[in-house]
Amino acid sequence: MNLGIESDIQILLLIAAIVLSFGISWWTYQNNTRLPVSLKWTNVGIRTSALVILFVLLFNPFFESQNELVFKQNVAVVLDNTQSLSIGKGEWDGMNSYSDIINNLSLDDTTAVRYHTFGFDRDLFPMSADSLDLSGTITDINRSFTTLAQSDTNFDGVIFVSDGIFNRGLNPVNAASRMDIPFFVVAAGDTSRVRDVFVRSAFYNPTAFTNSRMPIRAEIVNEGFPDRQVDVRLFRNNNLVDTQTINTSENRSVHSVEFDVLLEDEGTENFRIEIPELGGEFSTENNRYNFTVSVLDNQLRILHLAFEIHPDVRALRHLLATDEAILQNQITWTGQDRFLNGPLPVDADTLDLIILHGYPVDNIPPQVHNQISSLISQTNVMLISTPLTNHSELPNYLDNIQPITYTGNTPIDALLPVINTAENDHPILDLDIPDLNRAPELRGPIRNHILTQGARALLNISFRGSPSEVPLVGIREVGNVRVSQVNAQKWHLWSQNLNEDYRIFYGEFFSNLVQWTASSTSDNLLDISTTRQSFDEGEPILFRANVVTETGSPDNDARVDVNINQNGEDLQTFAMRNLGGGRFSLDIGTLPAGNYSYEATALRGNTQIETQDGSFTVNESSLEFTDTIRRDGLLRAIAENTEGAFFEWNDMNGFRSIFREAGLLNQRTEIETDVKRAHHSYWWFVLVIFLLGTEWVIRKYYDLA
């Protein structure tokens, strides 16, 4: 028992307490003549013992014991389940070679290890090693590692089996390093090149417009067919519309083929780029590339009105100019009532969106404010701040329609964005999110800014490493008008960053934000759509919906059912997930290639509120067959950056020994210390009562007061 004594003074106090207890007890009985001597000293001992126990308990003593606990190591086994590993080439024999890897891993030896087996393609999923079917059509290693890191199990190591080829998501090396556990990488597949001609990629706009021409560019890779003429055909709705011929002069070459298509009718157009089979080709699965284009009858008409010459303005204008779905009018205020590329339009009837970049700034004449107020009262508005933006005047000039409002003086400082997890499912955030903690710093207000009523924050700020609830990007719907607000500047550093992840995020985020803000809100009680008009085979089909009451407020009591059908045949009915605030989401998983339609029904109880229908396309995917060369460099980087080890599948002799040296084949022991406080046990108090009770009985027997 440890008495919790930490100093000489406490020891002296305890000795003094014992002496005092004995002194009090002896003094009580020193002049007593009724009790026999033996009982007198018995009572002195009893009372002393009771007092000593109480004094000792005041020192908060505790009992301490140690136990040795033995645990098995938790090891995650992450297996690549994609089509690229089903192809036999070189020494790799598809599933047969994969089975050899599984056997060499000895996953049935669980003496000291508890194996947790997962497969992955577009994401991670639990599975058993004997259920591998190599059917995945999309590979996203980064997302799979991110999902593994969020597991409830604390893993001690990872066995990762893959060819390292990914065709979706970010580079996975950083995601593996952040887990801070060793990765033992087994490189599956083959590094040899084969004779093949395939369509590596196609570049096109998924959204186009009627009565316009759409360029389509295909990249054709030749592996091992020199001095050949190769036809590249373009099919439109299964009809051959154009043929281009490439001439291969070398053993390995890449060719770019251009097509130009006139789009006349609104709707969904199905395209296919195809290469006829060449004798001696390794595979013909990658000789075609399917995609769809949604043809609309109009473009988004946007007025970009800037009030400061700033790199952010140039970056956004460049981004919008590269999108053929946008017809952009660029106007810049230069002082007083003067504008470059002006004047301001008289009304906004022909506009889908007005972007106010840097508004308001000081010294704008009242007549210009009035013109702008008139314009923004008629259409959707997007607000983006610059260094000269006067945040305190913004509510006055916008009639309080902005999503983020000023509540007091605030410094402008360096900050980073943080995703608002409550809005993770919003279509604007339907993109790959890089590591925002390492992103280029923005500048903006760091406090005294809040959301207005009915507004939602997509991004909040992180200041000096501490996330906060201060909104950075907010959105709001006011009647049939949408308003978005970006409360920071220096975004051009993202658009020019050497890290491709941040450049991609900048482009996709601002494109999504512009598209959402420019889209008109409808008068329907139910609004539903897929996140995209077309999906690649293997991608999840995602739906988003909003339901409002007849008064226009969010309907929290509604439910939404979605029926999916193909060629007039009902496939399945799904219930959408209620996110609150009248918002719903649905992930129906993957579907085979084809054209699909859906009918959504909103209900309140048993009462039908409204129905909406729509369609989407799933494109046949050949991504897994366009690149089959194992990426040893990436796999080695994962192993080295996590202090693990790298092995080739056909040379795993040292795997078990290195695994053992890392301590993962030995049970883990932990010392558990059990501390029990004496005053938590009632037996001490029972003992005190017993002692004092015994003394009382003796005194009572001899008629002592």
Side-chain angles (χ1 to χ4, degrees), residues 25-26 59 62 110 145 211 219 241 336 376 379 392 396 409 427 432 478 547 563 572 576 602 630 680:
S25 302
W26 177 80
F59 281 84
F62 57 85
T110 58
F145 285 174
N211 302 313
E219 279 195 355
V241 295
Q336 296 303 314
I376 64 178
T379 189
S392 63
N396 300 329
N409 187 39
D432 287 324
V478 184
V547 182
N563 179 258
Q572 191 172 350
M576 298 195 75
R630 191 177 73 208
H680 289 168

Side-chain angles (χ1 to χ4, degrees), residues 15 47 62 127 133 186 200 220 238 252 266 312 337 342 345 388 411 425 446 459 477 508 540 565-566 606 613 630:
I15 294 173
R47 180 170 293 194
F62 57 85
M127 65 175 296
D133 58 10
V186 179
R200 181 165 67 183
I220 312 300
N238 289 323
R252 185 174 191 273
E266 183 180 5
D312 282 2
D337 57 355
L388 298 181
D425 63 327
I446 59 173
L459 302 178
E477 295 187 34
E508 291 185 351
N565 59 76
Q566 184 181 29
N606 294 322
D613 55 34
R630 191 177 73 208

Side-chain angles (χ1 to χ4, degrees), residues 66-75 109-116 153-156 662-673:
Q66 291 185 335
N67 299 311
E68 185 178 83
L69 303 178
V70 179
F71 298 95
K72 290 185 177 182
Q73 304 281 352
N74 284 307
V75 174
D109 180 6
T110 58
T111 306
V113 185
R114 181 177 289 107
Y115 293 107
H116 305 258
T153 304
N154 292 322
F155 294 110
D156 301 291
L664 295 176
L665 290 181
N666 302 318
Q667 291 181 332
R668 185 177 71 253
T669 60
E670 294 182 6
I671 302 299
E672 180 186 59
T673 301

Side-chain angles (χ1 to χ4, degrees), residues 231-250:
D231 289 339
V232 183
R233 300 171 180 174
L234 177 67
F235 290 82
R236 178 178 179 179
N237 300 322
N238 289 323
N239 297 314
L240 179 63
V241 295
D242 198 0
T243 300
Q244 302 282 346
T245 302
I246 61 175
N247 295 294
T248 64
S249 58
E250 299 177 3

